[in-house]
Amino acid sequence: MPRWKPDAAERLETAALELFGEQGFERTTIAEIADRAGLTQRTFFNHFADKREVLFRMGPDLERALVAEISAGDADLPALDTAVRAMGVVADEMLEIRRDAAKRRYSVIAANPELLERELGKNAALTEAIADALNSRGCDPESAFITAAAAMLAQQTALRAWTRPGETRTLRELLQHSVRALRTTVGAS
Amino acid sequence: MPRWKPDAAERLETAALELFGEQGFERTTIAEIADRAGLTQRTFFNHFADKREVLFRMGPDLERALVAEISAGDADLPALDTAVRAMGVVADEMLEIRRDAAKRRYSVIAANPELLERELGKNAALTEAIADALNSRGCDPESAFITAAAAMLAQQTALRAWTRPGETRTLRELLQHSVRALRTTVGAS
């Protein structure tokens, strides 16, 4: 039996991150990405609408996993803890092994305002999905949105730290740290 | 003495919001905006780099006012209260009279993913400016960023409500309401 092989989308993402790192996002063509991955441009377009989208390959999987974990959470837990627990599970199961790829990805995105804007748009859509999942568990829409946005704020703060050179704590540890910092900040009055 | 007259940038913004509402953002040209404002395309480009930027005219003024209010705040106030107080002053002095324009603006932005992404990018830059202002007052960089992002979350929640049809509370009232909701959400554990 062959060992598990990355699927086409993952191979394209890996090739794209290598090329973006070597020669920049703007100067890399879709033809070069497909070539590096040993695939055709047609296959690229079967998976991604444009060159930018290859940087957001994990988005739909992460959203599905997060929404499933929120739905599976203990009904007695406060909404923010429900969202943060789900983010911790997803961090351990899907993100921790991808730290190097995440670092490369963030350096590409941070260098390009259009990519950064798209990242922010994707995060806003993910916030809405988390809010919907919390709302389905009985949280009123306003609290669900504020809770989702607060959890995303903690998650984004943790991701910034996690991809920083020299940082060795896991994403889950950094997430717990940023939630404590958020509680301190917002609680102090 | 003549009464105060809106400057060219403001006239261009007003004309643009009218035209975007009438015929959509995509279908409106810069020539039409300049024409409606009684100005030339050259004047348009003296003020704005492209058609999208006319929707973000107030951004630099709002940022300057917010940073000045944060710097002028009572040194004993906790960081989040400092940021929220500054946002309340700016809401009263610069935004409350612009509610109709804000409603038109939000409906244009919400209908166009590229505009929404740019709005999110501008908000991210504003968050950094608020964090820098808090950091200058002695808040450590991590707390300053989390506080700025939490204040922006409250502000964005308030703006969503403020521009909703039928909502009559002022932006400041809605801001205070969303800060209370944030404290409840984040405090509950």
Side-chain angles (χ1 to χ4, degrees):
Chain A
M1 289 286 284
R3 288 190 51 176
W4 175 82
K5 279 168 65 180
D7 69 6
E10 188 171 348
R11 282 162 60 194
L12 288 162
E13 181 197 28
T14 303
L17 285 173
E18 283 175 14
L19 287 162
F20 296 162
E22 288 162 21
Q23 60 192 37
F25 174 81
E26 292 297 348
R27 264 184 291 196
T28 300
T29 64
I30 288 172
E32 288 174 302
I33 297 169
D35 194 52
R36 173 78 61 106
L39 296 164
T40 63
Q41 283 196 63
R42 190 190 165 125
T43 303
F44 184 95
F45 286 112
N46 283 341
H47 289 279
F48 305 109
D50 60 34
K51 190 172 65 169
R52 293 197 287 178
E53 282 299 308
V54 71
L55 288 162
F56 301 97
R57 180 185 73 85
M58 291 281 285
D61 289 348
L62 290 171
E63 179 176 317
R64 264 191 298 275
L66 204 45
V67 166
E69 282 298 330
I70 289 169
S71 307
D74 182 344
D76 296 333
L77 224 53
L80 183 63
D81 299 75
T82 300
V84 169
R85 188 202 68 84
M87 285 173 169
V89 172
V90 169
D92 284 349
E93 294 185 355
M94 299 175 72
L95 293 171
E96 198 57 46
I97 53 161
R98 290 175 46 86
R99 192 167 190 156
D100 286 337
K103 282 186 189 183
R104 281 199 296 279
R105 181 178 177 278
Y106 275 95
S107 69
V108 174
I109 289 176
N112 183 313
E114 277 194 30
L115 292 175
L116 195 55
E117 288 182 1
R118 186 168 292 193
E119 166 93 335
L120 293 165
K122 300 270 185 188
N123 287 346
L126 181 56
T127 305
E128 299 288 353
I130 295 169
D132 287 347
L134 293 171
N135 185 222
S136 299
R137 290 166 50 88
C139 195
D140 72 87
E142 189 195 70
S143 301
F145 178 77
I146 290 183
T147 303
M152 282 294 287
L153 193 179
Q155 167 83 328
Q156 292 304 307
T157 307
L159 283 168
R160 272 159 72 121
W162 184 61
T163 52
R164 208 169 279 152
E167 177 58 62
T168 56
R169 285 170 287 179
T170 65
L171 181 55
R172 180 195 278 268
E173 285 168 337
L174 291 161
L175 180 60
Q176 286 162 347
H177 175 81
S178 62
V179 170
R180 278 195 300 274
L182 179 64
R183 289 203 201 273
T184 303
T185 294
V186 173
S189 182
Chain B
M1 289 284 287
R3 288 190 50 177
W4 174 84
K5 279 169 61 181
D7 69 6
E10 188 172 346
R11 282 162 59 195
L12 288 162
E13 182 197 27
T14 303
L17 284 173
E18 284 174 14
L19 287 162
F20 296 162
E22 288 162 21
Q23 59 193 38
F25 174 80
E26 293 297 347
R27 265 184 290 196
T28 300
T29 65
I30 288 172
E32 288 173 302
I33 297 168
D35 193 52
R36 174 79 60 106
L39 296 163
T40 63
Q41 284 196 62
R42 190 191 165 123
T43 303
F44 184 96
F45 286 113
N46 284 341
H47 289 278
F48 305 108
D50 60 35
K51 191 172 65 169
R52 294 197 286 178
E53 282 299 309
V54 72
L55 288 161
F56 301 97
R57 181 186 74 84
M58 291 281 285
D61 290 349
L62 289 171
E63 178 176 318
R64 264 191 299 275
L66 204 45
V67 166
E69 282 299 330
I70 289 169
S71 307
D74 182 343
D76 297 332
L77 225 51
L80 183 64
D81 300 76
T82 301
V84 169
R85 188 202 68 85
M87 285 173 169
V89 172
V90 169
D92 283 350
E93 294 185 355
M94 299 176 72
L95 293 170
E96 198 57 44
I97 52 160
R98 291 176 45 85
R99 192 169 189 154
D100 286 337
K103 281 186 190 183
R104 282 200 296 279
R105 180 177 177 278
Y106 275 94
S107 69
V108 174
I109 288 176
N112 183 314
E114 277 194 30
L115 293 174
L116 194 57
E117 289 182 0
R118 186 168 291 192
E119 166 93 334
L120 293 165
K122 300 269 185 188
N123 287 346
L126 181 56
T127 305
E128 299 288 353
I130 296 168
D132 287 348
L134 293 170
N135 184 221
S136 299
R137 290 165 51 88
C139 194
D140 72 87
E142 189 194 69
S143 302
F145 178 77
I146 289 183
T147 303
M152 282 293 288
L153 193 178
Q155 167 83 329
Q156 292 304 306
T157 306
L159 282 168
R160 274 160 71 121
W162 184 60
T163 52
R164 208 169 279 152
E167 177 58 62
T168 56
R169 286 170 288 180
T170 65
L171 181 55
R172 181 195 277 270
E173 285 168 335
L174 290 162
L175 180 61
Q176 286 160 346
H177 175 81
S178 62
V179 171
R180 277 195 302 274
L182 179 63
R183 290 201 202 274
T184 304
T185 294
V186 173
S189 184

